[in-house]
């Protein structure tokens, strides 16, 4: 008798220097379930390097606590302000490097792809994404926009990995 297969756990990250949303879901075939979610919010008063370090340490702790098998990160849109885009790029680097350092495969998804996977249209707004997360993962309870976005990234990855396996 073979032991039961543990559902695949997916960590979704919506990177930001002020607020990085994170969410972990379990994926068993087409069935998705909520594991955990939250927001990492380094203090604005910290020096830039310490804010990045906070993101690094907190993402490491999330991985240690929830043992995801894979990670997915939302790609950033092009920002007109070069300085803001560069700082956001640093936060994104933490979201990519920490899971990779932990040995997880890391996928990236454009915001339009994430929205289409969860809402059905790439032009959905944050309220629509939050509403759908509440329907798709009712045990998640109330989520902030950042955590809902991160859960949406994890769901988009779950759908993409299922589609790749079927193809």
């Amino acid at each position: 008798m073979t032991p039961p297969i543990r559902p695949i756990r997916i960590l979704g990250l919506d990177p930001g220097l002020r607020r990085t949303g994170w969410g972990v879901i379990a994926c068993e075939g087409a069935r998705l379930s909520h594991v955990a979610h939250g927001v990492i919010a380094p203090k604005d008063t910290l020096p830039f390097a310490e804010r990045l370090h906070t993101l690094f340490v907190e993402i490491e702790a999330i991985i240690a606590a929830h043992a995801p098998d894979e990670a997915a990160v939302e790609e950033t849109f092009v920002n007109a302000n070069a300085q803001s885009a560069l700082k956001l790029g640093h936060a994104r680097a933490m979201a990519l490097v920490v899971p990779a350092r932990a040995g997880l495969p890391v996928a990236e998804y454009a915001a339009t792809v994430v929205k289409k996977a969860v809402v059905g249209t790439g032009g959905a707004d944050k309220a629509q994404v939050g509403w759908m997360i509440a329907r798709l993962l009712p045990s998640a309870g109330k989520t902030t926009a950042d955590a809902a976005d991160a859960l949406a990234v994890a769901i988009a990855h779950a759908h993409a990995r299922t589609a790749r396996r079927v193809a």
Side-chain angles (χ1 to χ4, degrees), residues 1-2 6 19 28 33 39 44 50 55 66 78 89 108 112 121 132 143 154 156 165:
M1 185 162 136
T2 59
R6 180 175 81 85
R19 299 176 57 82
E28 191 169 9
S33 57
V39 175
D44 287 343
E50 288 183 39
L55 291 176
H66 300 291
V78 178
E108 299 176 72
T112 55
T121 176
M132 281 305 295
T143 60
R165 205 171 56 239

Side-chain angles (χ1 to χ4, degrees), residues 69-134:
D69 301 292
E70 301 174 9
V73 179
E74 186 171 282
E75 292 177 348
T76 55
F77 58 90
V78 178
N79 193 320
N81 180 330
Q83 188 67 22
S84 294
L86 186 60
K87 286 183 178 179
L88 181 56
H90 285 81
R92 244 184 120 250
M94 296 302 102
L96 294 166
V97 168
V98 177
R101 185 172 182 260
L104 304 180
V106 182
E108 299 176 72
Y109 297 94
T112 55
V113 170
V114 171
K115 292 172 183 180
K116 186 165 184 154
V118 174
V119 179
T121 176
D125 63 25
K126 285 193 176 285
Q128 290 171 307
V129 171
W131 189 87
M132 281 305 295
I133 291 301

Side-chain angles (χ1 to χ4, degrees), residues 49-60:
E50 288 183 39
R51 291 168 74 188
L52 292 175
H53 183 253
T54 298
L55 291 176
F56 190 98
V57 169
E58 293 294 323
I59 295 169
E60 268 188 334

Side-chain angles (χ1 to χ4, degrees), residues 136-163:
L136 295 170
L137 301 171
S139 64
K142 183 94 171 111
T143 60
T144 64
D146 299 296
D149 286 351
L151 288 165
V153 172
I155 290 170
H157 181 65
H159 290 184
R161 73 185 306 281
T162 301

